[in-house]
Amino acid sequence: MINDLWYKNAVIYCLSVATFQDSNGDGTGDFQGLGRRLDYLQGLGVTAVWLMPFQSSPGRDGGYDISDYYNVDPRFGTLGDFVEFTHAARQRGMRVLIDLVVNHTSDQHPWFREACRDPSSKYRDWYVWSKTRPANADEGMVFPGVQKSTWSYEKRAKAWYFHRFYDFQPDLDTSNPYVQAEILKIMGFWTQLGVSGFRMDAVPFVIATKGASVRKPREQFDMLRSFRELLQWRQGDAIILAEANVLPKDDLEYFGEDGDRLQMMFNFQVNQALFYGLASSDVRPLASALEKTKPRPATGQWALFLRNHDELDLGRLTARQRERVFAEFGPDKDMQLYDRGIRRRLAPMLRNDRRRLELAYSLMLTLPGTPVLRYGDEIGMGDDLSLAERECARTAMQWSTEPLGGFTDATRAAVPVITEGPSGCPHVNVADQRRDPGSLLNWMERVIRMRKEILEVPWGDFEVLPLDDNAVLMVRYTWRGNAVVFLHNLADAPVEVDFALGLSLTNVLSDDHSQPDGRGHHRIMLEPYGYRWFREGGLGYILRRKEVDRA
């Protein structure tokens, strides 16, 4: 079981082929360049690489406007280059996940162009149309303040088409069985080329009913089961990692109460509560989010993240909580986006404070779920707020102090590179941090290695233990006769915690161990933004581990 459910104890690394490494000097990253950097990812401890869209696209939305689901954009290479990359990853023990963007296509996709040209085409029914402008056309925009409507008029078709996102991304009618069959075909195609799973974009919209007459969309959860069945038939251990920012009461609908739908979901509830905790030094909402998202099937797993390629979405927080996070991490209007989020990378949000960065990553690695790391965050990359919307946090990877950060040897990069300021590549890069034993990069490699050995986190049961101080989160995991305890102080002041736990506590990251006093209590001093990773009862846990969950 432990080997079969590989995603339970994975370390996932998200990257864009376009911004990672250029191999041919055209200023754009490509699969050959990415393949040459696989040894770096292996050294970091990555076990799965999640690729943002790389299929053919006009590139108006970072590749999320796909015009051919069955090909690689020529800027990044060929299908042959892709297969060479997946083979090289497999040789290093790494799996490959790719974005599955099937809620919408590009308006340049041949399906949509034919649907507009010929009313009798089969593709006409693959999209969502209305003869008149729907009354709710000004509702439900994903990008408020930037996106004006969810319906646009198409002159050739002489009809209005639905687009939950930008107007150049018409929605597919995913209720159409022929569209569903095509989605399965797309999934089958890429699994044959070495893919181990998909990060499915905008899942609640994919499975929702659509149309001018739909006032309250209904989720078609059976679609998730059909996606899962295809993967199990074609490749038994392939998975779907869902982007589904839904309320905890709906989680089991997505996982399936019997674990027969999605294998993984991003835990947006915990993510937003975590940032509120970092902003307010109050762990209570985070503890509540952990409890609310605790129920899931044995095969289901949360994906935990700090930042991703989109804005930090704070829409699930209360208005007061959201303003607190804005004030702390995105006080200027140009740092905020869509009236709900922050568009910055993690390091500048935390003012490049090494203590807070370590605290945040320690939380991500030790909360229940599988950690997902954003490329460049392991070295504390910054952002360029002069770029529009979310592009500010999608700049090229900074490898060295060489011109354009070692990303390309071209005289000019086709993607943005941060070359100036405190976050510029002369100051923040992989090469310098590799040579510095105390760097963030080397710290990340060490804690990732240790986290992968602590199987209680992905496999065990957890409880949030009560403490007198609301700034400290204490989580205890138990699994097969062993237990671990994690402490995190979210305050900028030192805190002493006192709790009853009769066994000795061995710190797995340093020699700061703790023995219980005569009452069986531990008294531990946590420095500002301090954290501790403890094993109960010493390091003989391997010998004590039971072969089954219950004995």
Side-chain angles (χ1 to χ4, degrees):
M1 177 69 79
I2 292 178
N3 292 328
D4 293 341
L5 304 184
W6 60 268
Y7 53 90
K8 285 276 213 171
N9 198 36
V11 175
I12 301 174
Y13 188 94
C14 172
L15 63 88
S16 165
V17 178
T19 60
F20 206 63
Q21 182 67 67
D22 174 25
S23 72
N24 59 8
D26 66 355
T28 299
D30 48 50
F31 275 109
Q32 289 192 19
L34 173 56
R36 296 172 189 177
R37 291 296 186 181
L38 282 173
D39 291 324
Y40 166 78
L41 298 178
Q42 183 183 30
L44 183 60
V46 172
T47 62
V49 180
W50 157 26
L51 303 179
M52 293 172 64
F54 55 83
Q55 292 93 345
S56 300
S57 165
R60 297 183 65 186
D61 184 24
Y64 284 89
D65 49 330
I66 293 176
S67 57
D68 183 355
Y69 286 102
Y70 298 103
N71 218 331
V72 172
D73 192 297
R75 295 174 298 163
F76 310 142
T78 65
L79 280 173
D81 293 328
F82 176 80
V83 172
E84 283 294 302
F85 161 71
T86 59
H87 177 70
R90 191 182 305 112
Q91 285 184 315
R92 291 163 175 80
M94 286 185 281
R95 298 173 184 267
V96 176
L97 309 177
I98 70 171
D99 255 304
L100 182 64
V101 187
V102 291
N103 177 67
H104 51 258
T105 69
S106 165
D107 60 2
Q108 299 304 304
H109 197 293
W111 300 342
F112 187 69
R113 296 173 73 175
E114 184 171 335
C116 295
R117 181 185 61 83
D118 182 4
S120 63
S121 167
K122 70 174 184 178
Y123 297 116
R124 186 67 168 230
D125 293 336
W126 284 34
Y127 294 89
V128 185
W129 302 94
S130 176
K131 286 294 183 183
T132 59
R133 188 176 190 271
N136 60 349
D138 297 328
E139 300 173 4
M141 283 83 75
V142 171
F143 307 127
V146 176
Q147 181 185 0
K148 304 302 182 183
S149 175
T150 56
W151 289 85
S152 291
Y153 188 71
E154 168 51 54
K155 293 181 180 178
R156 292 167 298 173
K158 298 179 181 179
W160 296 78
Y161 67 91
F162 179 65
H163 53 90
R164 179 66 73 175
F165 292 80
Y166 294 114
D167 60 3
F168 54 82
Q169 293 170 322
D171 269 37
L172 286 164
D173 183 0
T174 47
S175 298
N176 185 325
Y178 291 99
V179 172
Q180 294 180 25
E182 190 71 24
I183 293 172
L184 295 176
K185 189 184 299 184
I186 293 166
M187 296 170 69
F189 176 82
W190 290 105
T191 55
Q192 289 297 110
L193 297 183
V195 165
S196 293
F198 302 88
R199 177 265 186 188
M200 184 175 283
D201 187 56
V203 173
F205 298 145
V206 172
I207 65 174
T209 53
K210 306 174 184 180
S213 61
V214 175
R215 291 293 175 263
K216 186 177 181 182
R218 176 179 53 83
E219 294 87 355
Q220 304 162 97
F221 290 109
D222 284 346
M223 289 174 58
L224 301 178
R225 182 171 183 173
S226 66
F227 298 156
R228 167 101 176 229
E229 286 174 343
L230 175 94
L231 291 180
Q232 291 186 327
W233 293 334
R234 294 288 182 88
Q235 184 175 318
D237 60 355
I239 68 160
I240 296 175
L241 167 56
E243 182 198 32
N245 188 353
V246 296
L247 292 171
K249 66 180 180 63
D250 297 321
D251 291 341
L252 286 180
E253 293 283 10
Y254 284 83
F255 283 123
E257 291 192 11
D258 298 323
D260 59 346
R261 292 175 182 168
L262 299 171
Q263 290 95 341
M264 297 189 73
M265 290 173 60
F266 286 103
N267 198 331
F268 286 93
Q269 201 79 17
V270 165
N271 173 261
Q272 296 180 49
L274 189 156
F275 273 94
Y276 175 72
L278 292 174
S280 66
S281 303
D282 184 354
V283 303
R284 289 174 294 180
L286 175 56
S288 175
L290 290 171
E291 290 296 334
K292 289 178 180 177
T293 57
K294 187 173 185 178
R296 65 180 190 270
T299 58
Q301 178 71 321
W302 288 114
L304 289 169
F305 65 103
L306 293 171
R307 288 293 291 114
N308 58 23
H309 58 288
D310 291 330
E311 76 283 1
L312 170 63
D313 189 343
L314 304 173
R316 298 294 183 190
L317 299 180
T318 67
R320 181 188 62 82
Q321 291 172 333
R322 188 159 50 249
E323 287 306 314
R324 183 68 180 270
V325 179
F326 278 146
E328 181 66 22
F329 298 134
D332 299 337
K333 269 296 181 184
D334 71 338
M335 299 175 180
Q336 301 169 18
L337 196 61
Y338 309 138
D339 300 323
R340 63 168 182 256
I342 298 174
R343 66 190 190 113
R344 309 210 70 187
R345 266 196 183 257
L346 183 69
M349 283 174 62
L350 300 181
R351 300 182 180 88
N352 294 296
D353 186 331
R354 176 66 179 270
R355 302 170 304 165
R356 299 183 84 180
L357 283 168
E358 287 190 16
L359 173 69
Y361 284 121
S362 177
L363 282 163
M364 181 185 72
L365 290 165
T366 60
L367 293 179
T370 295
V372 181
L373 186 65
R374 171 81 170 146
Y375 81 93
D377 279 358
E378 72 273 20
I379 60 172
M381 270 180 56
D383 47 44
D384 182 353
L385 293 177
S386 69
L387 299 173
E389 295 184 65
R390 299 168 296 180
E391 296 303 312
C392 65
R394 300 179 179 182
T395 57
M397 183 67 179
Q398 297 169 197
W399 293 105
S400 68
T401 59
E402 296 169 337
L404 301 177
F407 162 71
T408 179
D409 61 8
T411 57
R412 182 177 180 182
V415 296
V417 183
I418 301 178
T419 57
E420 300 178 349
S423 294
C425 51
H427 308 293
V428 180
N429 62 77
V430 170
D432 284 350
Q433 293 198 25
R434 273 178 163 166
R435 292 188 285 264
D436 178 4
S439 69
L440 179 62
L441 175 61
N442 279 312
W443 177 86
M444 287 289 290
E445 289 182 1
R446 188 165 66 95
V447 294
I448 287 174
R449 181 173 64 248
M450 179 55 67
R451 163 61 176 77
K452 287 159 68 176
E453 296 180 18
I454 302 176
L455 298 183
E456 288 82 356
V457 176
W459 288 100
D461 190 22
F462 79 91
E463 57 180 332
V464 178
L465 300 179
L467 292 172
D468 291 336
D469 197 308
N470 291 330
V472 181
L473 181 71
M474 181 176 182
V475 181
R476 181 175 184 263
Y477 294 84
T478 56
W479 184 66
R480 294 192 176 180
N482 287 302
V484 290
V485 174
F486 300 101
L487 291 167
H488 291 89
N489 175 22
L490 276 61
D492 61 356
V495 173
E496 184 180 59
V497 292
D498 183 309
F499 54 89
L501 206 61
L503 296 173
S504 62
L505 296 176
T506 302
N507 193 322
V508 298
L509 296 179
S510 73
D511 57 2
D512 183 17
H513 313 307
S514 179
Q515 296 293 331
D517 61 19
R519 300 178 301 130
H521 279 237
H522 292 265
R523 294 173 66 89
I524 295 174
M525 178 67 74
L526 294 169
E527 63 276 9
Y529 308 122
Y531 56 91
R532 299 290 186 273
W533 295 17
F534 288 124
R535 275 207 168 275
E536 291 185 16
L539 298 179
Y541 65 95
I542 291 291
L543 302 176
R544 295 192 301 270
R545 182 182 295 164
K546 298 174 182 177
E547 289 299 313
V548 294
D549 293 326
R550 296 178 178 84

